[in-house]
Amino acid sequence: MGTFTVIAPHGGRLVNRVPPQAEQAGLREQMAGKRAVTLGPREVSDLLMLGVGAFSPLEGFLTSADYHAVVREGRLASGLPWTIPVVLPVAEDIAKAIKVGEEVGLRGENGQLLGRLEVRDKFRYDKEEQARLAFGTTDRKHPAVDYLYRCGDWLLGGPITLLNEPPVDSCYANFMLHPRETRYLFQQKGWRTVVGFQTRNPVHRAHEYIQKCALETVDGLLLHPLVGETKSDDIPGPVRMECYRALLEHYYPKDRVVLSVFPAAMRYGGPREAIFHALVRKNYGCTHFIVGRDHAGVGNYYGPYDAQRIFTRYGAEEIGITPMFFDFTFYCRRCGHIVSDKTCRHEESDRLAFSGTKVREMLGRGESLPDEFTRPEIARILAAASQRHQM
Ligand SMILES: [Zn+2]
């Protein structure tokens, strides 16, 4: 097998903000006595993603020029597509005390030193504008808008250095592959084309169908569940991982799938987050990315196909990764399998739809989930977890 080049990262170069092993202890020591900013869970996750190059070409939190270009144009100041503001908000008193040019420590809520920020910029920002343009609403019931309004009124921008990887939940520890590692793995496997699938829920038959449809046309599948901060009503991590592992073990070919966790925080930013998710998966080495109906949506803030339509606002070459659009899928009794409006001609009454709410209710009543909805191995895991009151 000849060598080949994996897809180029966004912006052409995979960023690495992790210092060489030999310098790490010294840098940590240097930062020990310096002023530090405490990060919330979202910023901790952003710091990790920035450090390992998942957010290439970003090398740190956005400075004013990039921030305004991202919010207003969906691009960095350089013109490169980028849709989600990756920012470090702080309260006014903290911003006033910090000087541009200063190096500050970045710490987790427990005080652990995680990184360093070279402050290149500090600026006030317009939350209402960001909510309206980036999330399409100023309604505080939208989780990202609510988070935004609870954030500090100033932003610090500049390149970061990742000095300690934030601790991850033990259930994810064996599944944490960074972009450098997935890229290497894909090359070792000889995969020229890889489709990324983002999920935050245990896998339904409908998800399996979509993944396998995509896999029919490419060499490999990166099953990439998001494990950063999500809404509290999503299913707990250990249960989700158990489901994925059971599914892979029983229903997927061993040599065509990589399961790795995606430590990004969920923004519920709908269309803009779909572009963001695609660009980031390009950095992980994916050539294709599945965009479902209402990708990264929440409530009724976005139209069901907005997340697919937004791709037409950018040139295919500047996005680089190929989106694969899927319609809403469901089980049809007449067809006898999972279908969509595109592939089934039957009536509503022949179709079985399962909402997350309905599934939770069934589990709550101790009913087992039907085969048409989920594989029996998965149904058993969910039922057991429900009985342990983990859901
Ligand atoms: Zn049908």
Side-chain angles (χ1 to χ4, degrees), residues 329-349:
T329 52
F330 45 83
Y331 186 86
C332 169
R333 287 193 194 90
R334 295 280 301 281
C335 291
H337 55 89
I338 308 278
V339 292
S340 74
D341 273 336
K342 244 177 155 175
T343 51
C344 157
R345 62 170 294 162
H346 302 115
E347 304 291 321
E348 206 63 36
S349 55

Side-chain angles (χ1 to χ4, degrees), residues 150-229:
R150 285 187 285 117
C151 282
D153 291 331
W154 286 69
L155 299 178
L156 300 180
I160 60 94
T161 308
L162 182 62
L163 295 176
N164 280 305
E165 274 198 30
V168 290
D169 196 305
S170 59
C171 68
Y172 303 136
N174 292 330
F175 296 92
M176 182 71 86
L177 296 175
H178 295 321
R180 214 159 248 95
E181 296 160 332
T182 49
R183 287 174 160 270
Y184 178 76
L185 198 57
F186 298 160
Q187 194 159 28
Q188 289 303 301
K189 289 176 178 293
W191 294 353
R192 284 161 195 274
T193 51
V194 185
V195 62
F197 185 83
Q198 138 99 28
T199 168
R200 53 181 203 269
N201 285 311
V203 187
H204 308 167
R205 287 288 294 274
H207 291 168
E208 181 184 333
Y209 168 78
I210 288 173
Q211 291 160 14
K212 288 184 172 174
C213 282
L215 186 52
E216 292 289 356
T217 72
V218 295
D219 296 335
L221 165 69
L222 174 65
L223 185 55
H224 218 198
L226 183 142
V227 300
E229 212 197 12

Side-chain angles (χ1 to χ4, degrees), residues 2-16:
T3 54
F4 60 92
T5 317
V6 178
I7 188 171
H10 197 44
R13 185 181 66 89
L14 196 65
V15 166
N16 178 17

Side-chain angles (χ1 to χ4, degrees), residues 107-126:
R107 294 184 181 272
E109 275 163 342
N110 60 2
Q112 190 199 4
L113 178 70
L114 301 174
R116 173 181 74 173
L117 173 73
E118 298 161 45
V119 183
R120 296 265 171 89
D121 204 358
K122 58 172 186 177
F123 55 103
R124 289 188 67 98
Y125 64 114
D126 182 345

